[in-house]
Amino acid sequence: MERLTRLGLACRGVLYGLIGFLALQIAFDGGSGGKEADKTGAIEMVAEQPFGTVLLWLMVAGFAALTIWQLSEAIIGRGQTKDRVESVARTIVYGLIVAALLNTLLRGDPGSSTDESSHDLTAKAMDLPGGQFLVGLAGLGLIALGAYWIHKGWKKKFLKDMRTGEMPPKVRNLAEKLGMAGNITRGVIAVAAGVFVIQAAVTYDPDKAKGMDSTLRALAEAPAGPWLLVLVAIGLLLFAVYCFFEARWHRV
């Protein structure tokens, strides 16, 4: 089970690496064209490779192990309440990735993109009593999550889950830099996505809510142009490399 969990952490790195690569393609295309820079586009890229089916089944095994691991941490984990809540969130995320992988293998379709899911969920939430308020809270929650990831990266909080005592000094130094860049990048993306969700709530327009792909494309249209997206894409690639360090030295 531990080996499968470490395989899952490596597969997580593969997904982030592919998303970073797709984001680079979007940046060089001026913000248009290319596959969607999210888990859907990444899974499609894996499926198109030689032995893609074998790779996808390995990813199913890895992410299923991650799901079980985080579920066990949520139920009987040794951490505080905050740690258990994080484990619940990770359980849901990893479970959705497993579902997308199985859909690709069994039906040839990874399912809805993050953009479609964001629009649908926002539209359903707005139909509820106090829907605009709920969507606004969700946007604030995303911004808070992004701020947490930025703080986690800047303060190197991610190292508490790593067996740093077993890492050679140069390896630990590299892991610190990769983890900092990666977590800060993830935080920036989450904050940007949260801003779009709040905009959807204020304008009562679900289409303004953006998933990961549309958020990245919006960065390419910012005043800094595609270079901002290039920096974000590089940050995702660095986090992908850090995930392989996690696969080796993360406490499981």
Side-chain angles (χ1 to χ4, degrees):
M1 192 65 195
E2 179 180 346
R3 290 178 181 176
L4 286 175
T5 300
R6 297 195 183 281
L7 170 64
L9 290 170
C11 291
R12 182 171 173 246
V14 170
L15 274 189
Y16 269 105
L18 291 174
I19 293 171
F21 174 74
L22 291 170
L24 277 178
Q25 284 189 327
I26 293 171
F28 292 129
D29 286 341
S32 61
K35 291 184 181 293
E36 293 184 341
D38 58 10
K39 64 176 177 59
T40 302
I43 291 172
E44 288 176 349
M45 278 195 71
V46 174
E48 293 170 357
Q49 304 310 308
F51 306 105
T53 300
V54 175
L55 295 173
L56 288 175
W57 278 116
L58 286 174
M59 293 178 76
V60 168
F63 277 105
L66 286 180
T67 305
I68 295 170
W69 172 41
Q70 288 303 307
L71 180 60
S72 69
E73 287 288 308
I75 297 173
I76 57 174
R78 62 191 180 281
Q80 300 175 347
T81 302
K82 176 179 70 67
D83 298 319
R84 290 175 183 252
V85 171
E86 287 183 24
S87 293
V88 170
R90 292 193 189 104
T91 300
I92 295 171
V93 171
Y94 294 149
L96 290 173
I97 292 175
V98 171
L101 289 165
L102 289 174
N103 270 334
T104 303
L105 285 164
L106 302 178
R107 302 178 183 176
D109 180 8
S112 301
S113 67
T114 54
D115 290 330
E116 292 171 346
S117 298
S118 295
H119 296 161
D120 292 343
L121 287 173
T122 304
K124 290 177 181 178
M126 283 186 174
D127 289 336
L128 298 172
Q132 277 183 285
F133 179 72
L134 293 174
V135 172
L137 280 181
L140 290 175
L142 273 174
I143 292 174
L145 175 63
Y148 169 72
W149 279 341
I150 292 172
H151 178 263
K152 182 179 180 180
W154 186 255
K155 294 294 185 179
K156 304 177 185 177
K157 298 287 187 180
F158 53 88
L159 290 176
K160 72 181 178 68
D161 295 321
M162 300 284 278
R163 302 197 309 271
T164 53
E166 301 176 15
M167 302 168 70
K170 290 184 178 179
V171 173
R172 172 173 174 158
N173 185 49
L174 178 58
E176 285 182 3
K177 289 180 170 58
L178 292 171
M180 285 181 68
N183 279 286
I184 290 172
T185 299
R186 291 200 305 160
V188 169
I189 295 172
V191 168
V195 170
F196 288 125
V197 172
I198 290 176
Q199 186 179 7
V202 171
T203 60
Y204 203 77
D205 183 359
D207 290 337
K208 294 207 180 281
K210 300 181 185 295
M212 189 169 192
D213 177 71
S214 289
T215 299
L216 292 173
R217 292 177 190 273
L219 292 177
E221 299 169 0
W227 291 110
L228 177 59
L229 181 53
V230 168
L231 288 176
V232 170
I234 291 173
L236 290 172
L237 292 171
L238 293 176
F239 187 74
V241 178
Y242 171 74
C243 288
F244 288 98
F245 282 77
E246 282 193 321
R248 173 63 178 84
W249 282 287
H250 199 287
R251 291 191 181 92
V252 176

